[in-house]
Amino acid sequence: MSGVLHLLRLSGAASIQDGGRPGFLRDGLSASGPMDRLAHAAANVLVGNPPDAAAIELGLAGATLRAEGGPVRLALAGACGPLRLDGEPLADHRSFLLAEGAELTLGRPRAGVFATLAVAGGFGLHPVLGSVALHRRAALGGLDGRPLREGDRLPLAGSAPAGAADLCLDPVPLESDRPIRVVLGPQDDCFASDGLATFLEQEFTVSGQADRMGYQLDGPAIAHGEGGFNIVSDATVMGSVQVPGTGRPIVLMADRQTTGGYPKIATVVSADLRRIAQRRPGEAVRFEAVDLATARKLAQGRAAARDALQENLRPVVGAAERLMAANVAGAAVDAFRDD
């Protein structure tokens, strides 16, 4: 019997994602792939997979999973919540063995939105256009072209490596306290000067209209110029910031439409895509304009951080790591308080 990972319980969104399927924009299909590529790579590297291997992406989700047909080596990275292995606390950003019949419980994340759960060897799924990443609106990839749901049994492509050591990485910071950096354009000339000032100087919040296709932001309206808000439709990228007639910006994400007829005031630099993706509804967003040279340097730095994941792996130290996962210090009391 081939091993499977049985999804016993799920609260929130979950899908299979890999590096995505670039090259199909001309056919009207965006690439999909992870919302947080650095976290996705970290989880995969921890279990010995290539950084872009298929993994489970969880969005504000909690879940319980069981190994069936053999043991499974797993790792969770990104926006993580409490993690328990057969009821015992376990740290995230480390690899561990889920024995056959054992259950793993993932709590909803404490901060951020997206976490990645990687399995050693990946999943036994059939690629569509070279990828198993789910594109929900196109019903491509994933498990039968849909998001994951309770009761799913995910076929595994291999077995857990015998004798593999448990490894860990420092958690990847969510960096939620700094502005999101953007390069203005390509249609910043479609906006009034006070509209540009509003975009760069005022605070916005992520609205409830936020998913893998785009994040609509609440806040002050951004004024268009005399030409209005309609342009000849042209290509979009992940991070394009469209401003429709409402004046409310929309940051396009991994499952975006490939073209759009609203002017794009700016583009989020690639290094900050994970930072905007990890903002929850109601959380603040501010923007900061940088030039193209700075954006390139930031992209190079992010690529270097991704490449360094492998060399930053280290063995799990054992019992002390379990105490850290239990957050013993967080239960401390103040002897000087009456309550």
mmCIF file of all heavy atoms in Angstrom, residues 256-289:
data_model
loop_
_atom_site.group_PDB
_atom_site.id
_atom_site.type_symbol
_atom_site.label_atom_id
_atom_site.label_comp_id
_atom_site.label_asym_id
_atom_site.label_seq_id
_atom_site.Cartn_x
_atom_site.Cartn_y
_atom_site.Cartn_z
ATOM 1 N N ARG A 256 -3.991 35.848 -9.798
ATOM 2 C CA ARG A 256 -4.598 37.028 -10.426
ATOM 3 C C ARG A 256 -5.044 36.740 -11.862
ATOM 4 O O ARG A 256 -4.620 35.771 -12.496
ATOM 5 C CB ARG A 256 -3.567 38.163 -10.457
ATOM 6 C CG ARG A 256 -2.453 37.856 -11.439
ATOM 7 C CD ARG A 256 -1.242 38.711 -11.291
ATOM 8 N NE ARG A 256 -0.260 38.320 -12.303
ATOM 9 C CZ ARG A 256 0.544 37.285 -12.202
ATOM 10 N NH1 ARG A 256 0.497 36.508 -11.134
ATOM 11 N NH2 ARG A 256 1.405 37.001 -13.171
ATOM 12 N N GLN A 257 -5.873 37.666 -12.387
ATOM 13 C CA GLN A 257 -6.140 37.670 -13.819
ATOM 14 C C GLN A 257 -4.871 38.116 -14.545
ATOM 15 O O GLN A 257 -4.036 38.806 -13.977
ATOM 16 C CB GLN A 257 -7.308 38.616 -14.143
ATOM 17 C CG GLN A 257 -6.985 40.098 -14.045
ATOM 18 C CD GLN A 257 -7.060 40.657 -12.643
ATOM 19 O OE1 GLN A 257 -7.076 39.917 -11.673
ATOM 20 N NE2 GLN A 257 -7.095 41.988 -12.545
ATOM 21 N N THR A 258 -4.722 37.719 -15.800
ATOM 22 C CA THR A 258 -3.468 38.002 -16.513
ATOM 23 C C THR A 258 -3.442 39.387 -17.145
ATOM 24 O O THR A 258 -2.364 39.912 -17.435
ATOM 25 C CB THR A 258 -3.232 36.953 -17.607
ATOM 26 O OG1 THR A 258 -4.366 36.930 -18.486
ATOM 27 C CG2 THR A 258 -3.052 35.578 -16.987
ATOM 28 N N THR A 259 -4.600 39.994 -17.385
ATOM 29 C CA THR A 259 -4.659 41.357 -17.924
ATOM 30 C C THR A 259 -5.694 42.146 -17.139
ATOM 31 O O THR A 259 -6.571 41.570 -16.479
ATOM 32 C CB THR A 259 -5.034 41.395 -19.415
ATOM 33 O OG1 THR A 259 -6.367 40.863 -19.585
ATOM 34 C CG2 THR A 259 -4.057 40.589 -20.252
ATOM 35 N N GLY A 260 -5.601 43.475 -17.220
ATOM 36 C CA GLY A 260 -6.571 44.307 -16.531
ATOM 37 C C GLY A 260 -6.690 45.671 -17.170
ATOM 38 O O GLY A 260 -5.731 46.179 -17.764
ATOM 39 N N GLY A 261 -7.882 46.270 -17.035
ATOM 40 C CA GLY A 261 -8.149 47.560 -17.640
ATOM 41 C C GLY A 261 -8.200 48.714 -16.669
ATOM 42 O O GLY A 261 -8.657 49.798 -17.030
ATOM 43 N N TYR A 262 -7.744 48.493 -15.428
ATOM 44 C CA TYR A 262 -7.626 49.578 -14.468
ATOM 45 C C TYR A 262 -6.159 50.008 -14.394
ATOM 46 O O TYR A 262 -5.254 49.171 -14.452
ATOM 47 C CB TYR A 262 -8.083 49.142 -13.080
ATOM 48 C CG TYR A 262 -9.533 48.761 -12.989
ATOM 49 C CD1 TYR A 262 -9.917 47.556 -12.423
ATOM 50 C CD2 TYR A 262 -10.532 49.620 -13.460
ATOM 51 C CE1 TYR A 262 -11.253 47.199 -12.325
ATOM 52 C CE2 TYR A 262 -11.871 49.274 -13.373
ATOM 53 C CZ TYR A 262 -12.225 48.057 -12.802
ATOM 54 O OH TYR A 262 -13.548 47.711 -12.711
ATOM 55 N N PRO A 263 -5.890 51.302 -14.237
ATOM 56 C CA PRO A 263 -4.496 51.745 -14.178
ATOM 57 C C PRO A 263 -3.788 51.209 -12.938
ATOM 58 O O PRO A 263 -4.378 51.102 -11.862
ATOM 59 C CB PRO A 263 -4.611 53.269 -14.149
ATOM 60 C CG PRO A 263 -5.982 53.555 -13.656
ATOM 61 C CD PRO A 263 -6.845 52.432 -14.137
ATOM 62 N N LYS A 264 -2.523 50.901 -13.126
ATOM 63 C CA LYS A 264 -1.695 50.349 -12.047
ATOM 64 C C LYS A 264 -0.780 51.457 -11.535
ATOM 65 O O LYS A 264 0.125 51.905 -12.235
ATOM 66 C CB LYS A 264 -0.910 49.147 -12.576
ATOM 67 C CG LYS A 264 -1.828 47.979 -12.975
ATOM 68 C CD LYS A 264 -1.080 46.850 -13.632
ATOM 69 C CE LYS A 264 -0.680 47.171 -15.068
ATOM 70 N NZ LYS A 264 -1.842 47.363 -15.961
ATOM 71 N N ILE A 265 -1.029 51.871 -10.315
ATOM 72 C CA ILE A 265 -0.285 52.987 -9.748
ATOM 73 C C ILE A 265 1.136 52.578 -9.370
ATOM 74 O O ILE A 265 2.055 53.403 -9.350
ATOM 75 C CB ILE A 265 -1.046 53.561 -8.533
ATOM 76 C CG1 ILE A 265 -0.471 54.926 -8.119
ATOM 77 C CG2 ILE A 265 -1.031 52.593 -7.364
ATOM 78 C CD1 ILE A 265 -1.341 55.658 -7.099
ATOM 79 N N ALA A 266 1.333 51.289 -9.061
ATOM 80 C CA ALA A 266 2.643 50.821 -8.617
ATOM 81 C C ALA A 266 2.695 49.301 -8.704
ATOM 82 O O ALA A 266 1.684 48.630 -8.940
ATOM 83 C CB ALA A 266 2.924 51.275 -7.181
ATOM 84 N N THR A 267 3.898 48.777 -8.473
ATOM 85 C CA THR A 267 4.124 47.336 -8.430
ATOM 86 C C THR A 267 4.934 47.009 -7.185
ATOM 87 O O THR A 267 5.997 47.604 -6.963
ATOM 88 C CB THR A 267 4.896 46.852 -9.675
ATOM 89 O OG1 THR A 267 4.203 47.270 -10.849
ATOM 90 C CG2 THR A 267 5.024 45.337 -9.676
ATOM 91 N N VAL A 268 4.436 46.094 -6.366
ATOM 92 C CA VAL A 268 5.164 45.674 -5.165
ATOM 93 C C VAL A 268 6.447 44.973 -5.597
ATOM 94 O O VAL A 268 6.428 44.099 -6.465
ATOM 95 C CB VAL A 268 4.304 44.732 -4.302
ATOM 96 C CG1 VAL A 268 5.095 44.217 -3.095
ATOM 97 C CG2 VAL A 268 3.037 45.437 -3.838
ATOM 98 N N VAL A 269 7.585 45.354 -4.996
ATOM 99 C CA VAL A 269 8.844 44.706 -5.357
ATOM 100 C C VAL A 269 8.772 43.231 -4.970
ATOM 101 O O VAL A 269 8.115 42.857 -3.990
ATOM 102 C CB VAL A 269 10.050 45.394 -4.686
ATOM 103 C CG1 VAL A 269 10.095 46.882 -5.050
ATOM 104 C CG2 VAL A 269 10.032 45.219 -3.173
ATOM 105 N N SER A 270 9.431 42.379 -5.737
ATOM 106 C CA SER A 270 9.312 40.939 -5.524
ATOM 107 C C SER A 270 9.733 40.521 -4.115
ATOM 108 O O SER A 270 9.157 39.591 -3.542
ATOM 109 C CB SER A 270 10.137 40.188 -6.569
ATOM 110 O OG SER A 270 11.509 40.525 -6.475
ATOM 111 N N ALA A 271 10.707 41.217 -3.535
ATOM 112 C CA ALA A 271 11.172 40.859 -2.198
ATOM 113 C C ALA A 271 10.104 41.072 -1.133
ATOM 114 O O ALA A 271 10.171 40.458 -0.061
ATOM 115 C CB ALA A 271 12.424 41.667 -1.846
ATOM 116 N N ASP A 272 9.119 41.929 -1.398
ATOM 117 C CA ASP A 272 8.083 42.232 -0.412
ATOM 118 C C ASP A 272 6.747 41.555 -0.698
ATOM 119 O O ASP A 272 5.768 41.787 0.026
ATOM 120 C CB ASP A 272 7.867 43.746 -0.313
ATOM 121 C CG ASP A 272 8.942 44.425 0.532
ATOM 122 O OD1 ASP A 272 9.863 43.737 0.991
ATOM 123 O OD2 ASP A 272 8.857 45.653 0.723
ATOM 124 N N LEU A 273 6.682 40.707 -1.713
ATOM 125 C CA LEU A 273 5.412 40.036 -2.009
ATOM 126 C C LEU A 273 4.961 39.183 -0.830
ATOM 127 O O LEU A 273 3.776 39.152 -0.486
ATOM 128 C CB LEU A 273 5.551 39.172 -3.270
ATOM 129 C CG LEU A 273 5.668 39.937 -4.584
ATOM 130 C CD1 LEU A 273 5.967 38.979 -5.728
ATOM 131 C CD2 LEU A 273 4.388 40.722 -4.869
ATOM 132 N N ARG A 274 5.888 38.487 -0.190
ATOM 133 C CA ARG A 274 5.515 37.647 0.949
ATOM 134 C C ARG A 274 5.043 38.506 2.118
ATOM 135 O O ARG A 274 4.203 38.083 2.914
ATOM 136 C CB ARG A 274 6.683 36.758 1.376
ATOM 137 C CG ARG A 274 7.879 37.495 1.960
ATOM 138 C CD ARG A 274 8.971 36.510 2.398
ATOM 139 N NE ARG A 274 8.515 35.609 3.420
ATOM 140 C CZ ARG A 274 8.622 35.846 4.727
ATOM 141 N NH1 ARG A 274 9.145 36.987 5.157
ATOM 142 N NH2 ARG A 274 8.182 34.967 5.603
ATOM 143 N N ARG A 275 5.563 39.728 2.225
ATOM 144 C CA ARG A 275 5.201 40.588 3.340
ATOM 145 C C ARG A 275 3.766 41.102 3.202
ATOM 146 O O ARG A 275 3.038 41.188 4.192
ATOM 147 C CB ARG A 275 6.179 41.752 3.440
ATOM 148 C CG ARG A 275 7.614 41.307 3.764
ATOM 149 C CD ARG A 275 8.562 42.483 3.925
ATOM 150 N NE ARG A 275 8.034 43.402 4.907
ATOM 151 C CZ ARG A 275 7.824 44.704 4.674
ATOM 152 N NH1 ARG A 275 8.099 45.224 3.486
ATOM 153 N NH2 ARG A 275 7.338 45.470 5.615
ATOM 154 N N ILE A 276 3.347 41.433 1.981
ATOM 155 C CA ILE A 276 1.952 41.846 1.797
ATOM 156 C C ILE A 276 1.032 40.629 1.874
ATOM 157 O O ILE A 276 -0.067 40.697 2.433
ATOM 158 C CB ILE A 276 1.760 42.624 0.468
ATOM 159 C CG1 ILE A 276 0.329 43.149 0.334
ATOM 160 C CG2 ILE A 276 2.126 41.811 -0.739
ATOM 161 C CD1 ILE A 276 -0.009 44.288 1.236
ATOM 162 N N ALA A 277 1.491 39.474 1.375
ATOM 163 C CA ALA A 277 0.666 38.260 1.413
ATOM 164 C C ALA A 277 0.359 37.831 2.840
ATOM 165 O O ALA A 277 -0.698 37.247 3.107
ATOM 166 C CB ALA A 277 1.357 37.124 0.666
ATOM 167 N N GLN A 278 1.264 38.129 3.772
ATOM 168 C CA GLN A 278 1.077 37.685 5.151
ATOM 169 C C GLN A 278 0.304 38.692 6.006
ATOM 170 O O GLN A 278 0.167 38.493 7.213
ATOM 171 C CB GLN A 278 2.447 37.410 5.796
ATOM 172 C CG GLN A 278 3.203 36.224 5.205
ATOM 173 C CD GLN A 278 2.610 34.872 5.598
ATOM 174 O OE1 GLN A 278 1.478 34.782 6.106
ATOM 175 N NE2 GLN A 278 3.355 33.811 5.359
ATOM 176 N N ARG A 279 -0.258 39.749 5.399
ATOM 177 C CA ARG A 279 -1.094 40.693 6.152
ATOM 178 C C ARG A 279 -2.538 40.177 6.209
ATOM 179 O O ARG A 279 -3.128 39.837 5.178
ATOM 180 C CB ARG A 279 -1.069 42.079 5.505
ATOM 181 C CG ARG A 279 0.314 42.713 5.433
ATOM 182 C CD ARG A 279 0.821 43.178 6.795
ATOM 183 N NE ARG A 279 2.207 43.608 6.719
ATOM 184 C CZ ARG A 279 2.603 44.851 6.474
ATOM 185 N NH1 ARG A 279 1.707 45.803 6.270
ATOM 186 N NH2 ARG A 279 3.888 45.151 6.436
ATOM 187 N N ARG A 280 -3.104 40.198 7.394
ATOM 188 C CA ARG A 280 -4.478 39.714 7.592
ATOM 189 C C ARG A 280 -5.488 40.839 7.338
ATOM 190 O O ARG A 280 -5.144 42.028 7.431
ATOM 191 C CB ARG A 280 -4.659 39.222 9.026
ATOM 192 C CG ARG A 280 -3.846 38.023 9.390
ATOM 193 C CD ARG A 280 -4.194 37.587 10.791
ATOM 194 N NE ARG A 280 -3.457 36.383 11.165
ATOM 195 C CZ ARG A 280 -3.735 35.648 12.236
ATOM 196 N NH1 ARG A 280 -4.712 36.019 13.056
ATOM 197 N NH2 ARG A 280 -3.034 34.578 12.492
ATOM 198 N N PRO A 281 -6.747 40.482 7.062
ATOM 199 C CA PRO A 281 -7.800 41.498 7.013
ATOM 200 C C PRO A 281 -7.814 42.319 8.303
ATOM 201 O O PRO A 281 -7.736 41.773 9.409
ATOM 202 C CB PRO A 281 -9.074 40.665 6.854
ATOM 203 C CG PRO A 281 -8.628 39.453 6.106
ATOM 204 C CD PRO A 281 -7.255 39.144 6.657
ATOM 205 N N GLY A 282 -7.867 43.635 8.134
ATOM 206 C CA GLY A 282 -7.839 44.549 9.263
ATOM 207 C C GLY A 282 -6.461 45.051 9.624
ATOM 208 O O GLY A 282 -6.345 46.024 10.380
ATOM 209 N N GLU A 283 -5.416 44.443 9.095
ATOM 210 C CA GLU A 283 -4.061 44.885 9.408
ATOM 211 C C GLU A 283 -3.637 46.024 8.491
ATOM 212 O O GLU A 283 -4.055 46.116 7.341
ATOM 213 C CB GLU A 283 -3.076 43.722 9.322
ATOM 214 C CG GLU A 283 -3.259 42.716 10.437
ATOM 215 C CD GLU A 283 -2.197 41.649 10.468
ATOM 216 O OE1 GLU A 283 -1.520 41.424 9.450
ATOM 217 O OE2 GLU A 283 -2.030 41.023 11.539
ATOM 218 N N ALA A 284 -2.784 46.879 9.024
ATOM 219 C CA ALA A 284 -2.388 48.094 8.324
ATOM 220 C C ALA A 284 -1.367 47.819 7.229
ATOM 221 O O ALA A 284 -0.537 46.912 7.344
ATOM 222 C CB ALA A 284 -1.813 49.095 9.322
ATOM 223 N N VAL A 285 -1.449 48.639 6.179
ATOM 224 C CA VAL A 285 -0.491 48.591 5.071
ATOM 225 C C VAL A 285 -0.114 50.023 4.716
ATOM 226 O O VAL A 285 -0.988 50.878 4.514
ATOM 227 C CB VAL A 285 -1.096 47.904 3.823
ATOM 228 C CG1 VAL A 285 -0.104 47.947 2.658
ATOM 229 C CG2 VAL A 285 -1.505 46.477 4.121
ATOM 230 N N ARG A 286 1.172 50.282 4.661
ATOM 231 C CA ARG A 286 1.693 51.544 4.143
ATOM 232 C C ARG A 286 2.661 51.221 3.011
ATOM 233 O O ARG A 286 3.265 50.152 2.993
ATOM 234 C CB ARG A 286 2.407 52.348 5.231
ATOM 235 C CG ARG A 286 1.498 52.778 6.384
ATOM 236 C CD ARG A 286 2.240 53.691 7.347
ATOM 237 N NE ARG A 286 2.491 54.996 6.747
ATOM 238 C CZ ARG A 286 1.709 56.062 6.897
ATOM 239 N NH1 ARG A 286 0.626 55.982 7.637
ATOM 240 N NH2 ARG A 286 2.009 57.209 6.331
ATOM 241 N N PHE A 287 2.804 52.168 2.078
ATOM 242 C CA PHE A 287 3.659 51.944 0.919
ATOM 243 C C PHE A 287 4.816 52.937 0.908
ATOM 244 O O PHE A 287 4.680 54.076 1.369
ATOM 245 C CB PHE A 287 2.850 52.074 -0.376
ATOM 246 C CG PHE A 287 1.806 51.019 -0.543
ATOM 247 C CD1 PHE A 287 0.461 51.301 -0.271
ATOM 248 C CD2 PHE A 287 2.142 49.742 -0.955
ATOM 249 C CE1 PHE A 287 -0.515 50.332 -0.420
ATOM 250 C CE2 PHE A 287 1.174 48.760 -1.096
ATOM 251 C CZ PHE A 287 -0.152 49.051 -0.838
ATOM 252 N N GLU A 288 5.926 52.494 0.359
ATOM 253 C CA GLU A 288 7.118 53.329 0.209
ATOM 254 C C GLU A 288 7.673 53.118 -1.196
ATOM 255 O O GLU A 288 7.895 51.963 -1.612
ATOM 256 C CB GLU A 288 8.166 52.936 1.250
ATOM 257 C CG GLU A 288 9.485 53.669 1.100
ATOM 258 C CD GLU A 288 10.559 53.127 2.024
ATOM 259 O OE1 GLU A 288 10.244 52.284 2.889
ATOM 260 O OE2 GLU A 288 11.724 53.535 1.862
ATOM 261 N N ALA A 289 7.891 54.187 -1.932
ATOM 262 C CA ALA A 289 8.411 54.090 -3.296
ATOM 263 C C ALA A 289 9.930 53.941 -3.279
ATOM 264 O O ALA A 289 10.627 54.633 -2.540
ATOM 265 C CB ALA A 289 8.016 55.316 -4.111
#
